[in-house]
Amino acid sequence: MTKKKKEIRRESIMEEAARLFKQKGFGGTSMRDLAERVGMDAATMYHYISSKDEILKTICFDIASIYITQLAEIEKANTPFIDKLKALVRLHIHLMATKGAEVSVANNDWKYLATESLAEFKDLRSQYEKGLSKVIEQGIQAGELEEVNQSVALFTLLSAVRWVELWWRPNRGISLEELEDTILTILFNGLGKKEA
Amino acid sequence: MTKKKKEIRRESIMEEAARLFKQKGFGGTSMRDLAERVGMDAATMYHYISSKDEILKTICFDIASIYITQLAEIEKANTPFIDKLKALVRLHIHLMATKGAEVSVANNDWKYLATESLAEFKDLRSQYEKGLSKVIEQGIQAGELEEVNQSVALFTLLSAVRWVELWWRPNRGISLEELEDTILTILFNGLGKKEA
């Protein structure tokens, strides 16, 4: 089997695992459940992945890596802070909508990571939250954002988009782009009507 | 023992139960755990409450009743729709901050209600969401709210306040009133700076 083919199989195992973890919890999912779901016998499946712990680690760090990479790119872009913040909120909505199961696992099941990975993951999370908080602080200082409590702003933004994973589907009458635009309008312009 | 005293004991059992359910889940909490936590033997505790199911029902319906009662009062008040909506969002923040464990149980453990209660609870929830959605619709029609997708507005508002339960404590440097004001500012005026 080519390397490419192996990689594709591995990814589809990861995707099914994320769905199962989300549905039954990390603790409630067995490797037998997973093998059944991907239609392989367990022995074949172990050709692609080594353990449940490895799967969890891969899912959590893949998501963390997307956030951290995007943050780094956005930080160095030459754009107003408010646009950086909007781009980050858009990224959150986008990931919730397109990788909902993985994001859910990274949000809820990271606590089951093995000790070493756990510390590393917490560091990444804290690094990301600090980066996001910094963008908010800079936006306020530059007069681009309202002068509100930074922590309240940070958590309100992060929390406001979390329903997307549970609700948005491509066929619910609103495109992903419209969804992103609408949430950004509410959070940055406010739901109250502005004078024209 | 007076009726009043019995009621107070019952309430403190309910409060401890909510904390335990939140911490260990409804399924993971035993009546023995609860008796230990409230410092009674199980036989004495059963003088105040009849079962774990009864406790869950009481917690879920008490919270639902607060929301429904407030919604009814706010609906009939003679105020702009935007103020009605703000009052409801404020109520959500307030309950998250002051009855966090109960709200969390009503949000997460309602699915373990016994069959009859379950149907009734789902009805109340749907009634409340419809009422809230109606206020948003009326606010848009009256030109008090931006013309955004109603469902997106509804879920964004409800989701935006859910972190409060996990984070806000009276000693974290921000009063409950300031917290409410800040979140309302973000959601209704927007985080983007308005021209003075």
Side-chain angles (χ1 to χ4, degrees):
Chain A
M1 185 158 46
T2 61
K3 207 178 159 190
K4 178 88 187 155
K5 260 193 186 156
K6 187 167 176 184
E7 190 49 42
I8 290 171
R9 290 259 169 97
R10 188 179 143 86
E11 268 172 28
S12 80
I13 295 172
M14 292 293 170
E15 278 169 27
E16 282 304 331
R19 280 186 209 125
L20 269 175
F21 292 169
K22 184 184 165 186
Q23 197 183 324
K24 309 172 76 168
F26 178 71
T29 302
S30 71
M31 290 300 266
R32 186 185 296 228
D33 296 334
L34 180 57
E36 213 168 88
R37 193 68 81 89
V38 296
M40 290 178 185
D41 57 58
T44 311
M45 194 173 70
Y46 280 111
H47 184 57
Y48 302 99
I49 43 106
S50 67
S51 66
K52 214 170 82 164
D53 281 345
E54 187 219 340
I55 297 177
L56 180 64
K57 188 177 163 183
T58 304
I59 294 172
C60 289
F61 282 84
D62 280 359
I63 292 295
S65 151
I66 296 175
Y67 282 124
I68 292 284
T69 310
Q70 288 280 325
L71 175 65
E73 281 196 14
I74 287 168
E75 278 174 336
K76 70 182 182 208
N78 187 20
T79 49
F81 298 109
I82 187 171
D83 293 339
K84 292 177 194 259
L85 193 57
K86 284 181 180 177
L88 286 163
V89 174
R90 204 176 274 275
L91 169 68
H92 276 255
I93 302 170
H94 199 89
L95 281 182
M96 293 266 166
T98 57
K99 286 183 172 285
E102 288 81 355
V103 171
S104 168
V105 170
N107 280 337
N108 303 313
D109 293 330
W110 59 268
K111 49 185 171 285
Y112 305 114
L113 285 166
T115 320
E116 247 174 71
S117 308
L118 185 64
E120 198 188 334
F121 184 79
K122 280 173 153 179
D123 273 356
L124 287 177
R125 241 170 61 126
S126 142
Q127 185 187 326
Y128 181 74
E129 284 189 1
K130 275 185 196 146
L132 205 49
S133 195
K134 183 96 198 266
V135 176
I136 295 175
E137 191 188 341
Q138 291 169 317
I140 292 173
Q141 280 169 0
E144 297 168 14
L145 300 175
E146 293 289 340
E147 285 170 42
V148 296
N149 179 295
Q150 250 170 263
S151 303
V152 175
L154 175 68
F155 293 127
T156 302
L157 292 181
L158 292 181
S159 191
V161 304
R162 290 188 72 161
W163 61 276
V164 167
E165 174 216 326
L166 304 169
W167 183 86
W168 186 81
R169 300 290 176 270
N171 58 358
R172 289 224 174 141
I174 183 162
S175 72
L176 181 50
E177 209 192 332
E178 282 177 291
L179 178 78
E180 292 176 15
D181 290 345
T182 307
I183 298 179
L184 284 174
T185 297
I186 296 174
L187 295 174
F188 287 89
N189 300 351
L191 192 55
K193 183 79 169 183
K194 305 304 160 303
E195 301 304 323
Chain B
M1 185 158 43
T2 62
K3 208 179 157 190
K4 177 87 187 155
K5 260 194 186 156
K6 188 168 176 182
E7 190 48 42
I8 290 172
R9 289 260 170 95
R10 189 178 142 86
E11 269 173 26
S12 79
I13 295 172
M14 292 293 170
E15 278 170 26
E16 281 306 329
R19 279 186 212 129
L20 269 175
F21 292 169
K22 184 184 165 187
Q23 197 183 324
K24 307 171 77 169
F26 178 70
T29 303
S30 71
M31 288 300 264
R32 186 184 297 228
D33 296 333
L34 180 56
E36 212 167 90
R37 194 68 81 91
V38 295
M40 291 179 186
D41 57 59
T44 311
M45 194 172 69
Y46 280 112
H47 184 57
Y48 302 99
I49 44 106
S50 67
S51 67
K52 212 169 85 164
D53 280 345
E54 188 221 339
I55 297 177
L56 180 65
K57 190 178 163 184
T58 304
I59 294 172
C60 288
F61 283 84
D62 280 358
I63 292 294
S65 153
I66 296 175
Y67 281 123
I68 292 283
T69 311
Q70 288 280 324
L71 175 64
E73 281 197 15
I74 287 167
E75 277 174 335
K76 70 181 183 210
N78 187 20
T79 49
F81 299 109
I82 186 172
D83 292 339
K84 292 177 195 261
L85 193 58
K86 283 181 180 177
L88 286 163
V89 174
R90 204 178 274 275
L91 169 69
H92 276 256
I93 302 170
H94 199 88
L95 281 183
M96 293 267 165
T98 56
K99 286 181 172 288
E102 288 82 355
V103 170
S104 167
V105 170
N107 279 339
N108 303 313
D109 293 330
W110 58 269
K111 48 186 172 285
Y112 305 115
L113 285 166
T115 320
E116 250 175 69
S117 309
L118 184 65
E120 199 190 330
F121 185 79
K122 279 174 155 178
D123 273 356
L124 287 178
R125 240 169 64 124
S126 144
Q127 187 186 323
Y128 182 74
E129 283 190 1
K130 274 183 195 148
L132 204 50
S133 194
K134 184 97 197 265
V135 176
I136 295 175
E137 191 189 341
Q138 290 169 319
I140 293 173
Q141 280 170 0
E144 298 169 14
L145 301 175
E146 292 290 340
E147 286 170 42
V148 297
N149 180 296
Q150 251 170 263
S151 304
V152 174
L154 174 69
F155 294 127
T156 301
L157 293 182
L158 292 183
S159 191
V161 304
R162 288 188 74 161
W163 61 276
V164 168
E165 174 216 327
L166 303 171
W167 182 86
W168 187 80
R169 300 290 176 269
N171 58 359
R172 288 225 174 139
I174 183 162
S175 72
L176 181 49
E177 210 192 330
E178 282 177 294
L179 177 78
E180 291 176 17
D181 290 345
T182 307
I183 298 179
L184 284 174
T185 297
I186 296 173
L187 296 174
F188 287 89
N189 300 351
L191 192 55
K193 182 82 170 183
K194 305 303 161 303
E195 301 305 322

